Amino acid sequence: MFGNLEWIGVRAKSGDIQSIDRVIALEGRGLEGDKITLKNSKKRQVTLMQKEHISVILSLAQENDHEKINNIQYYFKRNLLISKYNIQNLKGKFFSIGEARFFGTGDCKPCKKIENLLGKQMLEAMQGMGGITAAVVKTGMIKINDRLNLEAE
């Protein structure tokens, strides 16, 4: 069973998240150019969200603003958008995307910033579907359409 990397976003020290086609995942740090690399985080180096959850979240929040709907991945502030794989199964496991290797470290719960940006309904709709966090355990290039592979235990 494989997943697919649909979208990559990085956040500079200041400013909004930017969509890119490829990036180097840096061991022990995060995605090159992402502000998280400026911190010393062991658990939250990369954030992943499941693409299939987006339509459910939008429906639960009863969102009808087409600008928000068409650009929702920018609002959620996650680094990687994955399809065709239940990313909750990655917690506590090693997995690879492209040339990089990761370890799923936990849940990525929606924060107050989501409520401030998108409203309380969206924050409530995201509960349980905010994604996961991961650490980079091997440096490598990742790019759109790369496969996500769960490693054998």
Side-chain angles (χ1 to χ4, degrees):
M1 191 179 233
F2 303 101
N4 191 56
L5 177 58
E6 299 281 340
W7 185 82
I8 303 168
V10 294
R11 297 161 294 160
K13 187 176 179 181
S14 61
D16 294 329
I17 196 162
Q18 300 295 313
S19 176
I20 57 176
D21 293 334
R22 62 182 58 225
V23 69
I24 296 174
L26 302 167
E27 182 178 333
R29 304 214 25 233
L31 302 182
E32 185 176 58
D34 193 74
K35 70 180 183 178
I36 198 68
T37 61
L38 303 173
K39 299 178 181 179
N40 192 16
S41 177
K42 292 189 182 346
K43 292 185 176 182
R44 193 185 173 103
Q45 296 169 7
V46 179
T47 56
L48 295 87
M49 188 169 191
Q50 191 162 335
K51 182 181 179 185
E52 291 84 356
H53 286 169
I54 291 177
S55 59
V56 175
I57 292 166
L58 291 169
S59 176
L60 291 173
Q62 299 176 19
E63 184 59 61
N64 57 17
D65 180 327
H66 291 290
E67 174 66 23
K68 283 183 189 174
I69 291 169
N70 292 333
N71 295 294
I72 200 68
Q73 67 271 24
Y74 293 95
Y75 291 102
F76 288 154
K77 302 190 182 300
R78 301 298 187 259
N79 298 120
L80 306 177
L81 190 60
I82 305 295
S83 67
K84 300 178 182 152
Y85 193 89
N86 183 352
I87 62 172
Q88 292 298 315
N89 290 336
L90 300 173
K91 292 186 291 187
K93 296 177 183 165
F94 290 97
F95 61 96
S96 62
I97 302 172
E99 301 170 351
R101 186 170 183 237
F102 302 85
F103 181 76
T105 55
D107 289 315
C108 188
K109 297 179 180 167
C111 64
K112 193 75 170 165
K113 291 177 187 175
I114 295 292
E115 183 176 357
N116 294 341
L117 196 59
L118 298 171
K120 188 171 182 164
Q121 274 188 265
M122 188 69 74
L123 177 70
E124 290 174 359
M126 280 184 76
Q127 297 306 313
M129 292 183 280
I132 67 165
T133 57
V136 182
V137 295
K138 179 186 164 226
T139 296
M141 175 68 69
I142 63 173
K143 55 191 181 312
I144 300 297
N145 292 321
D146 275 349
R147 266 190 185 181
L148 178 146
N149 298 296
L150 179 64
E151 296 187 3
E153 296 189 30

